[in-house]
Amino acid sequence: MAYRVFRSPSRYIQGVGAIDVLGKEAAAYGKKAFLLTDDFVWGLLQEKVERALEGFPYHYKAFTGEASLEEMVRLADEVADATVDVIIGLGGGKIIDVAKGIAAACELPVVIVPTTVSTDAPTSAISVLYTQDGLFDHYRFYAKNPDLVLVDTQIVIQAPIRFFASGMADALATCAEALATKASGENALAGGLPTIAGTAIAQACEETLFRDGLSAFGDVQKGLVTPAVEAIVEANTLLSGLGFENGGLAAAHAIHNGFTALKGEVHRLTHGEIVGFCLLVQLVLEARPCEEFQKYSQFLAAIGMPTTLAEMHLTGATHEELVKVGKLAVAQSNTMRNLNKNITAEQVADAILAVDGLVGKE
């Protein structure tokens, strides 16, 4: 029997100054925290975090490794030694994914405080794990979502504009992948068939991006927090997070993972920059009308996201190299089947090359 499944974090807080209630909110889950971040983030936010956690003891740990299973195991051992009862993950996607893994391994609640809105990792019960060399390894699933996701809008807009735009590019794939999953009859990452709610949230994510994205992009460049900015922060984080987990991933993220098979400057790109390009590849594989392709590609270009092989640092990539991307993309550990289980590595390579031609005609 196939069941419909929906899951989400227990609590989500967003707004200017939200970091100020971190200690009060974390106290609902424990009496001492293991605070995982990195030295760069700590250098920027130490004063704010210390003020927010005044009177709430914590053990600080700087994250320096890869989002790998080995790193999770190592840090879980440190958590046991620190005698803490709640995990706080403060930072970007890899720190967030590792914090979730540590909490699951130690059976502790976890509070996620993203410092950018460049990915939709904060709300999900999933970590994307890599090898120590940075090659995509597998998705790791947990029994529950984060207990609290706390997003301070004023903090996340201080990150380079590239990260804000990358979050939009990642979120833009949410609806296309959710609709593909629904049409295929495959399960979403939540562990069952997509719900009406999951698909609707994915659609609301896309609608919000096209309505408010360009305005918010300009506002963040000026350091402003406007209603449009708040809407896009929510779209990048909550709507995209709930949409991908409950609606499903398909070709865009599968091909993103496939690109980890390549060496070179493509690895300088953010998760969202690669996913945005891979969304265009998915649209080619779906044989979407040219007008639809242009709607997505022009939006991505307007926010500075790569839409050509040159912008992906892949000008010299051979067809053989792109077939390697395709082989990893169609592997069983990936989500290509949610679009079409019969797609081949060669078709993926051809679609990557076709994107470049279609963008060039606009």
Side-chain angles (χ1 to χ4, degrees):
M1 178 68 182
Y3 298 102
R4 298 179 186 274
V5 177
F6 183 91
R7 61 190 307 168
S8 68
S10 301
R11 189 164 167 80
Y12 179 89
I13 299 173
Q14 175 188 316
V16 173
I19 192 73
D20 296 338
V21 299
L22 176 58
K24 175 185 174 183
E25 292 289 332
Y29 306 105
K31 296 181 179 179
K32 182 181 178 182
F34 184 89
L35 176 62
L36 181 69
T37 186
D38 61 38
D39 287 335
F40 177 76
V41 169
W42 192 238
L44 293 175
L45 298 179
Q46 181 178 358
E47 184 177 339
K48 285 181 184 255
V49 174
E50 287 182 339
R51 185 168 63 247
L53 292 177
E54 186 175 357
F56 188 84
Y58 63 91
H59 174 86
Y60 167 77
K61 178 63 182 179
F63 175 74
T64 57
E66 181 58 80
S68 64
L69 185 60
E70 293 82 0
E71 187 70 6
M72 286 183 181
V73 170
R74 185 183 70 78
L75 288 169
D77 289 339
E78 290 199 27
V79 168
D81 293 338
T83 60
V84 299
D85 46 19
V86 59
I87 309 296
I88 299 176
L90 172 71
K94 291 192 175 183
I95 287 173
I96 288 168
D97 278 347
V98 171
K100 288 187 285 189
I102 296 169
C106 299
E107 298 183 340
L108 295 175
V110 61
V111 174
I112 300 299
V113 186
T115 52
T116 72
V117 286
S118 60
T119 76
D120 48 19
T123 65
S124 74
I126 303 162
S127 291
V128 183
L129 296 188
Y130 299 85
T131 66
Q132 298 285 49
D133 298 325
L135 184 70
F136 170 74
D137 192 0
H138 66 282
Y139 291 108
R140 191 170 183 84
F141 299 89
Y142 306 119
K144 67 181 184 68
N145 296 68
D147 297 272
L148 168 66
V149 178
L150 189 150
V151 187
D152 190 317
T153 318
Q154 190 65 57
I155 288 175
V156 297
I157 71 159
Q158 299 305 312
I161 189 65
R162 175 187 182 191
F163 293 109
F164 189 80
S166 293
M168 283 196 277
D170 188 28
L172 192 62
T174 304
C175 185
E177 292 189 286
L179 293 179
T181 303
K182 182 180 179 181
S184 71
E186 294 285 347
N187 284 345
L189 293 174
L193 294 172
T195 57
I196 295 171
T199 305
I201 289 170
Q203 291 172 317
C205 179
E206 182 175 286
E207 291 166 5
T208 303
L209 289 166
F210 281 125
R211 185 188 67 232
D212 296 320
L214 297 186
S215 176
F217 182 72
D219 292 339
V220 170
Q221 286 180 306
K222 299 172 187 174
L224 305 176
V225 177
T226 62
V229 170
E230 290 284 8
I232 294 303
V233 168
E234 183 176 339
N236 286 11
T237 310
L238 184 62
L239 299 181
S240 184
L242 296 181
F244 96 77
E245 188 170 17
N246 296 289
L249 296 180
H253 276 79
I255 298 165
H256 163 276
N257 296 338
F259 273 118
T260 66
L262 298 183
K263 296 180 180 179
E265 294 190 345
V266 67
H267 291 284
R268 290 167 46 195
L269 299 174
T270 66
H271 172 83
E273 286 171 331
I274 299 174
V275 169
F277 179 86
C278 294
L279 168 60
L280 301 181
V281 181
Q282 174 172 324
L283 299 180
V284 171
L285 291 170
E286 292 181 297
R288 293 277 195 106
C290 187
E291 295 78 12
E292 286 189 38
F293 180 93
Q294 289 175 346
K295 178 182 180 180
Y296 290 91
S297 63
Q298 289 171 1
F299 178 86
L300 290 168
I303 59 173
M305 294 292 97
T307 59
T308 66
L309 288 174
E311 291 167 346
M312 288 284 289
H313 308 297
L314 293 172
T315 304
T318 66
H319 190 265
E320 182 181 6
E321 288 174 321
L322 296 180
V323 169
K324 288 182 181 178
V325 173
K327 286 181 178 178
L328 186 53
V330 302
Q332 188 61 33
S333 61
N334 261 314
T335 55
M336 184 65 75
R337 65 187 177 279
N338 289 0
L339 177 63
N340 185 332
K341 63 183 178 182
N342 297 316
I343 288 175
T344 67
E346 289 74 16
Q347 288 174 317
V348 172
D350 289 347
I352 293 170
L353 294 169
V355 166
D356 212 38
L358 285 171
V359 171
K361 292 178 182 178
E362 293 180 3

